[in-house]
Amino acid sequence: MAFTNFDSRHFSVIEKAAVDAALASLELAVSSKLANLSPAERQQYGSVNEQNKLIINKVKGFHDTQPALSSPDVDWAEFNNDFDTREYLQSAVLRLQSLIDGLGNAKILHDYDNYQAALTDYDFAKYKASTSAVGFQTKVTEIAQFFNSGPRPASSDTPTP
C-alpha cells in the first residue's frame, strides 16, 4: 500500500512562534493563581462531586434569595468569590481540555503519518538489501530490532501514541 499523508496540517515557523507566545502569555497570566498539591493533599481535599455541587448551588441560591437564612459564621463575600472563581476555572479547564484533545488528535495523525512513512522506508531498505545494495543490510538489521518477531503484517501495524 502506498504511503499517503493522512493529515498534512503543518505549523509554519510563524505559527509555532504565535502558539508559543500565547502559551507563555497564558502561563504568565495564571502563574500566581496555580496551586501545587501533594498527593496527600489531593487525597485530603479531593474534588467536589456532583451531589456536593448541588449542595453548594442550593446554599448559594438560599443566600442570594433569602440572606436572613444564611449563617453569620460564613464569610459570604469570600464564598461568592470562591464560587465565581470556581466557575471561571471550570470554564477555562473545559476550553483548555478541548484544545488538548484537538492537539492530541492532530499529534496522533502526524504520528501515524511518520510511522507509515517509516514502514515504507523499511520495506524499501529490505528490498534494496535483497539486491545486495551497499549499506542497506545494516539499516535493515538496525530497524528489525524494533519488531518482535518475523516480518510485519501489512495491515496490523499501528503506532503507539
Side-chain angles (χ1 to χ4, degrees):
M1 174 170 129
F3 169 74
T4 354
N5 284 318
F6 192 64
D7 188 12
S8 59
R9 292 172 274 188
H10 304 289
F11 289 90
S12 70
V13 171
I14 292 171
E15 290 169 326
K16 288 178 184 178
V19 169
D20 289 343
L23 290 173
S25 176
L26 177 61
E27 289 167 342
L28 180 62
V30 301
S31 64
S32 67
K33 309 293 188 224
L34 300 178
N36 187 21
L37 299 178
S38 69
E41 289 170 323
R42 288 186 69 80
Q43 182 69 32
Q44 176 187 350
Y45 298 120
S47 66
V48 176
N49 62 30
E50 292 305 314
Q51 182 70 28
N52 292 345
K53 288 177 193 174
L54 294 174
I55 294 169
I56 292 168
N57 291 337
K58 186 59 74 175
V59 168
K60 183 176 183 342
F62 271 107
H63 177 71
D64 290 347
T65 60
Q66 300 177 58
L69 301 178
S70 298
S71 170
D73 295 331
V74 172
D75 180 345
W76 290 103
E78 180 62 19
F79 180 93
N80 286 326
N81 286 337
D82 285 339
F83 190 89
D84 291 344
T85 300
R86 188 219 156 272
E87 281 190 329
Y88 175 76
L89 289 172
Q90 180 63 27
S91 173
V93 165
L94 291 173
R95 290 175 68 190
L96 289 169
Q97 189 60 56
S98 178
L99 286 172
I100 289 167
D101 292 345
L103 291 170
N105 290 339
K107 181 189 172 295
I108 286 170
L109 295 176
H110 289 288
D111 285 346
Y112 181 85
D113 277 356
N114 278 153
Y115 185 67
Q116 294 306 311
L119 293 177
T120 298
D121 185 67
Y122 179 53
D123 285 342
F124 174 77
K126 288 190 298 186
Y127 161 72
K128 291 300 278 184
S130 74
T131 66
S132 299
V134 176
F136 285 95
Q137 188 55 54
T138 301
K139 182 177 181 177
V140 168
T141 302
E142 289 290 320
I143 296 171
Q145 70 182 327
F146 298 109
F147 295 96
N148 289 333
S149 61
R152 65 174 177 81
S155 62
S156 67
D157 283 330
T158 56
T160 303

